[in-house]
Amino acid sequence: MVAAYVVHYVSLVILAVTLIVELFAFVHCVGRRAEAFPVVGKLTKPIWVLMTGGALAFTVLSGYSTIASPTGYLGPLTAIISVIAMTISLVYLLDLRPALREVTEGRGGW
């Protein structure tokens, strides 16, 4: 019984971190100029906004289910999609964000 509560609270911490990362990626993506995306040789801005926004929306919905579920278990498909959603946001933040900053601000890195 105690293990179920531990798993539930660990899931909530992971959910909070995931939401923060995905929200940051989405807000950053929305705030960039659309002309900069093709310059860095990546997908267009609307595609990245849809991908990061979709990742955020999925995490919010699955997060609601995690909070509502007493065991915190959502199933293997949800876990796989959650990993994909987080990967989309991390690819944006670690690959595209520095390239966009270099193009728009003339400097790279974080």
Side-chain angles (χ1 to χ4, degrees):
M1 187 69 169
V2 173
Y5 286 110
V6 170
V7 168
H8 184 70
Y9 287 117
V10 169
S11 296
L12 291 178
V13 170
I14 293 171
L15 173 66
V17 170
T18 302
L19 282 171
I20 291 168
V21 169
E22 290 178 356
L23 181 63
F24 181 73
F26 177 70
V27 169
H28 187 273
C29 185
V30 168
R32 297 301 111 194
R33 293 191 335 235
E35 303 85 33
F37 285 79
V39 171
V40 296
K42 304 295 180 182
L43 297 172
T44 63
K45 179 180 178 175
I47 293 174
W48 276 107
V49 169
L50 283 174
M51 289 192 318
T52 57
L56 179 62
F58 177 81
T59 302
V60 167
L61 293 175
S62 67
Y64 174 75
S65 298
T66 301
I67 292 169
S69 172
T71 61
Y73 180 73
L74 296 176
L77 183 61
T78 305
I80 291 169
I81 296 173
S82 297
V83 169
I84 292 170
M86 185 62 163
T87 302
I88 289 170
S89 297
L90 289 175
V91 165
Y92 176 83
L93 289 174
L94 298 175
D95 182 38
L96 192 60
R97 182 177 178 255
L100 288 173
R101 286 187 65 185
E102 187 175 325
V103 168
T104 58
E105 300 171 9
R107 60 188 171 108
W110 285 78

